[in-house]
Amino acid sequence: MPVDLHSIAAEARLPEEVGYVRLVVEETKDDPFILLALAAQTTRTLKLGASVAIAFPRSPSITA
């Protein structure tokens, strides 16, 4: 099932509201950097990161 990009911002606020301090996403079907950028727009204290991101199809500057 594809991720609904319009709901990422609202879904990222939920862990922050219940007290989580970190949200980590992995690369499966969707680019984790896009998901994290969307989540960063609405979270204030939640630390965001990628647990798995495939480096080979990206340039080193994008991966860094």
Side-chain angles (χ1 to χ4, degrees):
M1 174 190 273
V3 173
D4 178 18
L5 295 178
H6 299 290
S7 68
I8 295 296
E11 290 178 10
R13 282 193 306 267
L14 180 62
E16 186 175 48
E17 290 171 359
V18 298
Y20 282 84
V21 295
R22 187 166 291 127
L23 176 68
V24 179
V25 297
E26 77 285 343
E27 181 168 16
T28 53
K29 293 182 229 167
D30 300 298
D31 187 333
F33 303 116
I34 292 173
L35 301 178
L36 293 171
L38 293 170
Q41 293 179 359
T42 60
T43 59
R44 287 179 268 142
T45 60
L46 198 63
K47 296 184 185 337
L48 303 170
S51 62
V52 174
I54 309 302
F56 298 116
R58 295 183 176 87
S59 71
S61 60
I62 296 294
T63 304

Short mmCIF file of all heavy atoms in Angstrom, two decimals:
data_model
loop_
_atom_site.label_atom_id
_atom_site.label_comp_id
_atom_site.label_asym_id
_atom_site.label_seq_id
_atom_site.Cartn_x
_atom_site.Cartn_y
_atom_site.Cartn_z
N MET A 1 0.86 -1.17 0.00
CA MET A 1 0.00 0.00 0.00
C MET A 1 0.91 1.24 0.00
O MET A 1 1.78 1.37 0.85
CB MET A 1 -0.89 -0.02 1.24
CG MET A 1 -1.70 1.24 1.38
SD MET A 1 -2.53 1.37 2.96
CE MET A 1 -4.02 0.52 2.65
N PRO A 2 0.73 2.14 -0.95
CA PRO A 2 1.56 3.35 -0.98
C PRO A 2 1.24 4.29 0.17
O PRO A 2 0.12 4.29 0.70
CB PRO A 2 1.22 3.99 -2.33
CG PRO A 2 -0.06 3.37 -2.75
CD PRO A 2 -0.19 2.05 -2.06
N VAL A 3 2.22 5.04 0.56
CA VAL A 3 2.06 6.02 1.64
C VAL A 3 1.30 7.23 1.11
O VAL A 3 1.57 7.71 0.02
CB VAL A 3 3.43 6.45 2.17
CG1 VAL A 3 3.31 7.57 3.17
CG2 VAL A 3 4.15 5.27 2.78
N ASP A 4 0.35 7.70 1.89
CA ASP A 4 -0.38 8.92 1.54
C ASP A 4 0.46 10.12 1.99
O ASP A 4 0.54 10.41 3.18
CB ASP A 4 -1.75 8.93 2.23
CG ASP A 4 -2.53 10.20 1.95
OD1 ASP A 4 -2.20 10.91 0.97
OD2 ASP A 4 -3.48 10.46 2.70
N LEU A 5 1.12 10.77 1.04
CA LEU A 5 2.02 11.87 1.38
C LEU A 5 1.31 13.03 2.07
O LEU A 5 1.92 13.77 2.83
CB LEU A 5 2.75 12.36 0.13
CG LEU A 5 3.70 11.34 -0.50
CD1 LEU A 5 4.33 11.92 -1.76
CD2 LEU A 5 4.77 10.88 0.47
N HIS A 6 0.02 13.19 1.83
CA HIS A 6 -0.73 14.28 2.44
C HIS A 6 -0.96 14.05 3.93
O HIS A 6 -1.23 15.00 4.67
CB HIS A 6 -2.06 14.48 1.72
CG HIS A 6 -1.91 14.83 0.28
ND1 HIS A 6 -1.42 16.04 -0.15
CD2 HIS A 6 -2.14 14.11 -0.83
CE1 HIS A 6 -1.38 16.06 -1.46
NE2 HIS A 6 -1.81 14.89 -1.91
N SER A 7 -0.85 12.82 4.39
CA SER A 7 -1.11 12.53 5.80
C SER A 7 0.16 12.44 6.64
O SER A 7 0.07 12.30 7.86
CB SER A 7 -1.89 11.21 5.92
OG SER A 7 -1.07 10.13 5.53
N ILE A 8 1.33 12.53 6.04
CA ILE A 8 2.58 12.37 6.78
C ILE A 8 2.72 13.42 7.88
O ILE A 8 3.10 13.10 9.01
CB ILE A 8 3.79 12.45 5.83
CG1 ILE A 8 3.77 11.28 4.85
CG2 ILE A 8 5.11 12.48 6.60
CD1 ILE A 8 3.91 9.93 5.49
N ALA A 9 2.43 14.66 7.60
CA ALA A 9 2.59 15.72 8.60
C ALA A 9 1.72 15.45 9.83
O ALA A 9 2.19 15.55 10.97
CB ALA A 9 2.26 17.07 7.99
N ALA A 10 0.47 15.10 9.63
CA ALA A 10 -0.43 14.82 10.75
C ALA A 10 0.00 13.57 11.50
O ALA A 10 -0.04 13.54 12.74
CB ALA A 10 -1.85 14.66 10.25
N GLU A 11 0.45 12.55 10.78
CA GLU A 11 0.87 11.31 11.42
C GLU A 11 2.18 11.50 12.20
O GLU A 11 2.42 10.80 13.17
CB GLU A 11 1.01 10.21 10.39
CG GLU A 11 -0.32 9.75 9.84
CD GLU A 11 -0.19 8.68 8.77
OE1 GLU A 11 0.91 8.15 8.58
OE2 GLU A 11 -1.21 8.39 8.14
N ALA A 12 3.02 12.42 11.79
CA ALA A 12 4.28 12.68 12.51
C ALA A 12 4.03 13.40 13.83
O ALA A 12 4.82 13.28 14.76
CB ALA A 12 5.23 13.48 11.64
N ARG A 13 2.95 14.14 13.91
CA ARG A 13 2.64 14.85 15.17
C ARG A 13 2.19 13.90 16.27
O ARG A 13 2.42 14.15 17.44
CB ARG A 13 1.56 15.90 14.93
CG ARG A 13 2.05 17.16 14.28
CD ARG A 13 1.02 18.27 14.34
NE ARG A 13 -0.27 17.88 13.79
CZ ARG A 13 -0.65 18.07 12.54
NH1 ARG A 13 0.17 18.64 11.70
NH2 ARG A 13 -1.85 17.71 12.14
N LEU A 14 1.56 12.80 15.91
CA LEU A 14 1.03 11.86 16.90
C LEU A 14 2.10 11.30 17.83
O LEU A 14 1.93 11.38 19.05
CB LEU A 14 0.26 10.73 16.21
CG LEU A 14 -0.33 9.69 17.14
CD1 LEU A 14 -1.35 10.32 18.08
CD2 LEU A 14 -0.95 8.56 16.35
N PRO A 15 3.22 10.76 17.33
CA PRO A 15 4.23 10.27 18.27
C PRO A 15 4.77 11.37 19.19
O PRO A 15 5.06 11.13 20.36
CB PRO A 15 5.34 9.72 17.38
CG PRO A 15 4.79 9.64 16.03
CD PRO A 15 3.59 10.50 15.96
N GLU A 16 4.90 12.57 18.66
CA GLU A 16 5.38 13.69 19.46
C GLU A 16 4.39 14.02 20.58
O GLU A 16 4.79 14.26 21.72
CB GLU A 16 5.60 14.91 18.56
CG GLU A 16 6.23 16.09 19.25
CD GLU A 16 6.53 17.18 18.27
OE1 GLU A 16 5.66 17.54 17.45
OE2 GLU A 16 7.65 17.70 18.32
N GLU A 17 3.11 13.98 20.26
CA GLU A 17 2.08 14.31 21.25
C GLU A 17 1.98 13.28 22.37
O GLU A 17 1.64 13.62 23.49
CB GLU A 17 0.72 14.46 20.56
CG GLU A 17 0.62 15.69 19.69
CD GLU A 17 -0.63 15.72 18.83
OE1 GLU A 17 -1.43 14.75 18.91
OE2 GLU A 17 -0.80 16.70 18.08
N VAL A 18 2.29 12.02 22.07
CA VAL A 18 2.20 10.99 23.11
C VAL A 18 3.51 10.79 23.86
O VAL A 18 3.58 9.94 24.74
CB VAL A 18 1.68 9.64 22.55
CG1 VAL A 18 0.28 9.78 22.00
CG2 VAL A 18 2.62 9.06 21.53
N GLY A 19 4.54 11.55 23.52
CA GLY A 19 5.76 11.55 24.31
C GLY A 19 6.98 10.90 23.70
O GLY A 19 8.02 10.82 24.35
N TYR A 20 6.89 10.43 22.48
CA TYR A 20 8.09 9.88 21.84
C TYR A 20 9.07 11.00 21.54
O TYR A 20 8.67 12.14 21.31
CB TYR A 20 7.73 9.16 20.53
CG TYR A 20 7.13 7.79 20.72
CD1 TYR A 20 5.77 7.65 20.97
CD2 TYR A 20 7.92 6.66 20.67
CE1 TYR A 20 5.21 6.40 21.15
CE2 TYR A 20 7.36 5.40 20.85
CZ TYR A 20 6.01 5.28 21.09
OH TYR A 20 5.46 4.05 21.27
N VAL A 21 10.35 10.66 21.52
CA VAL A 21 11.37 11.67 21.23
C VAL A 21 12.02 11.47 19.87
O VAL A 21 12.71 12.34 19.38
CB VAL A 21 12.46 11.70 22.32
CG1 VAL A 21 11.88 12.15 23.64
CG2 VAL A 21 13.14 10.36 22.46
N ARG A 22 11.81 10.29 19.26
CA ARG A 22 12.47 10.00 18.00
C ARG A 22 11.55 9.23 17.06
O ARG A 22 10.81 8.34 17.49
CB ARG A 22 13.72 9.16 18.28
CG ARG A 22 14.59 8.93 17.09
CD ARG A 22 15.97 8.41 17.49
NE ARG A 22 16.69 9.47 18.17
CZ ARG A 22 17.26 9.33 19.38
NH1 ARG A 22 17.21 8.20 20.01
NH2 ARG A 22 17.88 10.34 19.93
N LEU A 23 11.63 9.56 15.77
CA LEU A 23 10.88 8.86 14.72
C LEU A 23 11.88 8.45 13.65
O LEU A 23 12.62 9.28 13.15
CB LEU A 23 9.80 9.76 14.12
CG LEU A 23 9.02 9.19 12.95
CD1 LEU A 23 8.14 8.03 13.42
CD2 LEU A 23 8.17 10.26 12.30
N VAL A 24 11.90 7.16 13.34
CA VAL A 24 12.84 6.63 12.35
C VAL A 24 12.03 5.94 11.26
O VAL A 24 11.11 5.17 11.55
CB VAL A 24 13.82 5.63 13.00
CG1 VAL A 24 14.77 5.06 12.00
CG2 VAL A 24 14.58 6.29 14.14
N VAL A 25 12.36 6.22 10.01
CA VAL A 25 11.70 5.57 8.87
C VAL A 25 12.74 4.80 8.07
O VAL A 25 13.93 5.10 8.12
CB VAL A 25 10.96 6.58 7.97
CG1 VAL A 25 9.86 7.27 8.71
CG2 VAL A 25 11.92 7.59 7.39
N GLU A 26 12.28 3.80 7.33
CA GLU A 26 13.17 3.01 6.49
C GLU A 26 12.75 3.17 5.04
O GLU A 26 11.64 3.58 4.75
CB GLU A 26 13.15 1.54 6.90
CG GLU A 26 11.94 0.77 6.43
CD GLU A 26 10.66 1.06 7.19
OE1 GLU A 26 10.68 1.62 8.29
OE2 GLU A 26 9.61 0.73 6.65
N GLU A 27 13.66 2.83 4.16
CA GLU A 27 13.34 2.91 2.74
C GLU A 27 12.79 1.56 2.31
O GLU A 27 13.47 0.55 2.34
CB GLU A 27 14.58 3.25 1.91
CG GLU A 27 14.28 3.35 0.45
CD GLU A 27 15.42 3.97 -0.33
OE1 GLU A 27 16.54 4.05 0.16
OE2 GLU A 27 15.16 4.35 -1.47
N THR A 28 11.54 1.55 1.95
CA THR A 28 10.94 0.36 1.37
C THR A 28 10.48 0.73 -0.03
O THR A 28 11.21 0.57 -0.98
CB THR A 28 9.78 -0.16 2.24
OG1 THR A 28 8.86 0.90 2.48
CG2 THR A 28 10.30 -0.71 3.55
N LYS A 29 9.28 1.28 -0.15
CA LYS A 29 8.79 1.73 -1.45
C LYS A 29 8.96 3.22 -1.64
O LYS A 29 8.94 3.72 -2.75
CB LYS A 29 7.30 1.39 -1.60
CG LYS A 29 7.02 -0.07 -1.66
CD LYS A 29 5.55 -0.27 -1.86
CE LYS A 29 5.05 -1.28 -0.87
NZ LYS A 29 3.64 -1.36 -0.75
N ASP A 30 9.08 3.96 -0.54
CA ASP A 30 9.12 5.42 -0.60
C ASP A 30 10.47 5.94 -0.15
O ASP A 30 11.14 5.35 0.69
CB ASP A 30 8.01 6.00 0.28
CG ASP A 30 6.64 5.54 -0.17
OD1 ASP A 30 6.27 5.86 -1.30
OD2 ASP A 30 5.96 4.86 0.62
N ASP A 31 10.85 7.07 -0.70
CA ASP A 31 12.11 7.72 -0.35
C ASP A 31 12.03 8.21 1.10
O ASP A 31 11.18 9.05 1.42
CB ASP A 31 12.36 8.88 -1.30
CG ASP A 31 13.72 9.52 -1.13
OD1 ASP A 31 14.28 9.46 -0.02
OD2 ASP A 31 14.22 10.08 -2.11
N PRO A 32 12.89 7.75 2.00
CA PRO A 32 12.79 8.16 3.40
C PRO A 32 13.08 9.65 3.60
O PRO A 32 12.56 10.26 4.54
CB PRO A 32 13.83 7.30 4.11
CG PRO A 32 14.81 6.93 3.06
CD PRO A 32 14.02 6.83 1.80
N PHE A 33 13.89 10.24 2.73
CA PHE A 33 14.22 11.65 2.89
C PHE A 33 13.02 12.55 2.60
O PHE A 33 12.85 13.59 3.23
CB PHE A 33 15.42 12.01 2.01
CG PHE A 33 16.62 11.15 2.32
CD1 PHE A 33 17.14 10.30 1.37
CD2 PHE A 33 17.22 11.18 3.57
CE1 PHE A 33 18.23 9.50 1.65
CE2 PHE A 33 18.30 10.40 3.87
CZ PHE A 33 18.82 9.55 2.91
N ILE A 34 12.17 12.15 1.68
CA ILE A 34 10.94 12.91 1.41
C ILE A 34 10.00 12.80 2.60
O ILE A 34 9.43 13.79 3.05
CB ILE A 34 10.27 12.42 0.11
CG1 ILE A 34 11.15 12.78 -1.08
CG2 ILE A 34 8.88 13.01 -0.03
CD1 ILE A 34 10.67 12.22 -2.39
N LEU A 35 9.85 11.59 3.14
CA LEU A 35 8.98 11.40 4.30
C LEU A 35 9.47 12.21 5.49
O LEU A 35 8.68 12.85 6.19
CB LEU A 35 8.91 9.92 4.67
CG LEU A 35 8.38 8.97 3.58
CD1 LEU A 35 8.43 7.54 4.06
CD2 LEU A 35 7.00 9.37 3.14
N LEU A 36 10.78 12.23 5.71
CA LEU A 36 11.33 12.99 6.83
C LEU A 36 11.18 14.50 6.62
O LEU A 36 10.91 15.24 7.58
CB LEU A 36 12.80 12.63 7.04
CG LEU A 36 13.04 11.20 7.52
CD1 LEU A 36 14.52 10.87 7.49
CD2 LEU A 36 12.47 10.99 8.91
N ALA A 37 11.32 14.96 5.40
CA ALA A 37 11.14 16.38 5.12
C ALA A 37 9.70 16.81 5.37
O ALA A 37 9.45 17.88 5.94
CB ALA A 37 11.54 16.70 3.68
N LEU A 38 8.76 15.96 5.00
CA LEU A 38 7.35 16.27 5.26
C LEU A 38 7.05 16.24 6.76
O LEU A 38 6.32 17.08 7.27
CB LEU A 38 6.45 15.28 4.52
CG LEU A 38 6.47 15.38 3.00
CD1 LEU A 38 5.74 14.21 2.38
CD2 LEU A 38 5.88 16.70 2.55
N ALA A 39 7.61 15.29 7.47
CA ALA A 39 7.40 15.19 8.92
C ALA A 39 8.02 16.38 9.65
O ALA A 39 7.48 16.86 10.64
CB ALA A 39 7.97 13.89 9.45
N ALA A 40 9.14 16.87 9.16
CA ALA A 40 9.84 17.98 9.83
C ALA A 40 9.05 19.28 9.77
O ALA A 40 9.28 20.18 10.57
CB ALA A 40 11.21 18.18 9.19
N GLN A 41 8.10 19.40 8.87
CA GLN A 41 7.33 20.63 8.74
C GLN A 41 6.39 20.85 9.92
O GLN A 41 6.02 21.98 10.19
CB GLN A 41 6.52 20.62 7.44
CG GLN A 41 7.38 20.68 6.22
CD GLN A 41 6.57 20.64 4.95
OE1 GLN A 41 5.34 20.54 4.97
NE2 GLN A 41 7.24 20.71 3.82
N THR A 42 5.99 19.80 10.61
CA THR A 42 5.00 19.97 11.68
C THR A 42 5.48 19.56 13.05
O THR A 42 4.80 19.81 14.03
CB THR A 42 3.73 19.15 11.36
OG1 THR A 42 4.09 17.78 11.26
CG2 THR A 42 3.08 19.62 10.09
N THR A 43 6.63 18.91 13.15
CA THR A 43 7.12 18.50 14.47
C THR A 43 8.08 19.55 15.00
O THR A 43 8.79 20.20 14.25
CB THR A 43 7.81 17.14 14.40
OG1 THR A 43 8.90 17.22 13.49
CG2 THR A 43 6.86 16.06 13.94
N ARG A 44 8.10 19.71 16.31
CA ARG A 44 8.98 20.71 16.93
C ARG A 44 10.11 20.07 17.73
O ARG A 44 11.23 20.52 17.68
CB ARG A 44 8.18 21.64 17.81
CG ARG A 44 7.34 22.61 16.99
CD ARG A 44 6.54 23.53 17.86
NE ARG A 44 5.25 22.86 18.04
CZ ARG A 44 4.56 22.85 19.16
NH1 ARG A 44 4.99 23.49 20.19
NH2 ARG A 44 3.41 22.22 19.23
N THR A 45 9.80 19.02 18.47
CA THR A 45 10.81 18.43 19.34
C THR A 45 11.22 17.02 18.92
O THR A 45 12.19 16.49 19.43
CB THR A 45 10.28 18.36 20.79
OG1 THR A 45 9.10 17.55 20.82
CG2 THR A 45 9.98 19.74 21.32
N LEU A 46 10.49 16.42 18.01
CA LEU A 46 10.75 15.04 17.58
C LEU A 46 12.02 15.00 16.75
O LEU A 46 12.19 15.75 15.79
CB LEU A 46 9.56 14.56 16.74
CG LEU A 46 9.39 13.07 16.55
CD1 LEU A 46 9.16 12.36 17.87
CD2 LEU A 46 8.24 12.80 15.61
N LYS A 47 12.93 14.11 17.12
CA LYS A 47 14.15 13.91 16.33
C LYS A 47 13.83 12.91 15.23
O LYS A 47 13.22 11.88 15.47
CB LYS A 47 15.27 13.39 17.22
CG LYS A 47 15.67 14.39 18.28
CD LYS A 47 16.84 13.87 19.06
CE LYS A 47 17.25 14.74 20.22
NZ LYS A 47 16.92 16.08 20.25
N LEU A 48 14.26 13.22 14.00
CA LEU A 48 13.91 12.42 12.84
C LEU A 48 15.16 11.77 12.25
O LEU A 48 16.23 12.38 12.25
CB LEU A 48 13.23 13.29 11.78
CG LEU A 48 11.99 14.03 12.25
CD1 LEU A 48 11.55 15.04 11.21
CD2 LEU A 48 10.87 13.06 12.57
N GLY A 49 15.01 10.54 11.76
CA GLY A 49 16.15 9.87 11.16
C GLY A 49 15.72 8.75 10.23
O GLY A 49 14.58 8.29 10.27
N ALA A 50 16.67 8.29 9.42
CA ALA A 50 16.42 7.17 8.51
C ALA A 50 17.19 5.96 9.03
O ALA A 50 18.39 6.04 9.28
CB ALA A 50 16.88 7.51 7.10
N SER A 51 16.51 4.85 9.20
CA SER A 51 17.19 3.65 9.69
C SER A 51 17.88 2.91 8.55
O SER A 51 18.96 2.38 8.73
CB SER A 51 16.20 2.72 10.39
OG SER A 51 15.21 2.28 9.50
N VAL A 52 17.25 2.88 7.38
CA VAL A 52 17.84 2.25 6.20
C VAL A 52 17.54 3.13 5.00
O VAL A 52 16.38 3.45 4.73
CB VAL A 52 17.25 0.84 5.95
CG1 VAL A 52 17.77 0.26 4.66
CG2 VAL A 52 17.56 -0.08 7.11
N ALA A 53 18.60 3.54 4.30
CA ALA A 53 18.44 4.29 3.06
C ALA A 53 19.45 3.72 2.06
O ALA A 53 20.64 3.66 2.36
CB ALA A 53 18.69 5.78 3.28
N ILE A 54 18.98 3.29 0.94
CA ILE A 54 19.85 2.68 -0.06
C ILE A 54 20.71 3.78 -0.69
O ILE A 54 20.20 4.72 -1.29
CB ILE A 54 19.02 1.96 -1.15
CG1 ILE A 54 18.00 1.01 -0.51
CG2 ILE A 54 19.92 1.22 -2.12
CD1 ILE A 54 18.57 -0.05 0.39
N ALA A 55 22.02 3.64 -0.56
CA ALA A 55 22.94 4.69 -1.00
C ALA A 55 23.28 4.61 -2.49
O ALA A 55 23.59 5.62 -3.10
CB ALA A 55 24.23 4.63 -0.18
N PHE A 56 23.25 3.43 -3.08
CA PHE A 56 23.76 3.27 -4.44
C PHE A 56 23.04 4.10 -5.49
O PHE A 56 23.68 4.64 -6.39
CB PHE A 56 23.77 1.79 -4.82
CG PHE A 56 24.67 0.99 -3.93
CD1 PHE A 56 24.14 0.01 -3.13
CD2 PHE A 56 26.03 1.24 -3.87
CE1 PHE A 56 24.95 -0.73 -2.28
CE2 PHE A 56 26.84 0.51 -3.03
CZ PHE A 56 26.31 -0.48 -2.24
N PRO A 57 21.71 4.24 -5.47
CA PRO A 57 21.07 5.02 -6.53
C PRO A 57 21.15 6.53 -6.33
O PRO A 57 20.68 7.29 -7.17
CB PRO A 57 19.61 4.55 -6.50
CG PRO A 57 19.40 4.07 -5.12
CD PRO A 57 20.72 3.54 -4.66
N ARG A 58 21.74 6.97 -5.23
CA ARG A 58 21.81 8.41 -4.93
C ARG A 58 23.23 8.92 -5.03
O ARG A 58 24.19 8.19 -4.83
CB ARG A 58 21.31 8.67 -3.51
CG ARG A 58 19.87 8.34 -3.31
CD ARG A 58 19.45 8.71 -1.88
NE ARG A 58 18.05 8.48 -1.72
CZ ARG A 58 17.53 7.30 -1.38
NH1 ARG A 58 18.30 6.27 -1.14
NH2 ARG A 58 16.22 7.17 -1.25
N SER A 59 23.35 10.22 -5.27
CA SER A 59 24.67 10.81 -5.26
C SER A 59 25.15 10.93 -3.81
O SER A 59 24.32 10.97 -2.88
CB SER A 59 24.64 12.20 -5.91
OG SER A 59 23.97 13.10 -5.07
N PRO A 60 26.44 10.99 -3.56
CA PRO A 60 26.94 11.11 -2.19
C PRO A 60 26.42 12.35 -1.46
O PRO A 60 26.18 12.30 -0.26
CB PRO A 60 28.46 11.17 -2.37
CG PRO A 60 28.72 10.50 -3.66
CD PRO A 60 27.52 10.82 -4.52
N SER A 61 26.22 13.44 -2.17
CA SER A 61 25.74 14.66 -1.49
C SER A 61 24.30 14.50 -1.03
O SER A 61 23.92 15.02 0.01
CB SER A 61 25.88 15.87 -2.41
OG SER A 61 25.13 15.68 -3.59
N ILE A 62 23.48 13.79 -1.76
CA ILE A 62 22.09 13.55 -1.35
C ILE A 62 22.07 12.62 -0.14
O ILE A 62 21.35 12.85 0.84
CB ILE A 62 21.26 12.93 -2.49
CG1 ILE A 62 21.15 13.89 -3.65
CG2 ILE A 62 19.90 12.49 -2.01
CD1 ILE A 62 20.38 15.15 -3.36
N THR A 63 22.87 11.56 -0.15
CA THR A 63 22.92 10.61 0.96
C THR A 63 23.46 11.27 2.22
O THR A 63 22.97 11.00 3.32
CB THR A 63 23.78 9.40 0.58
OG1 THR A 63 23.24 8.83 -0.62
CG2 THR A 63 23.76 8.35 1.67
N ALA A 64 24.45 12.13 2.09
CA ALA A 64 25.03 12.81 3.26
C ALA A 64 24.00 13.72 3.88
O ALA A 64 23.93 13.89 5.05
CB ALA A 64 26.26 13.59 2.86
#
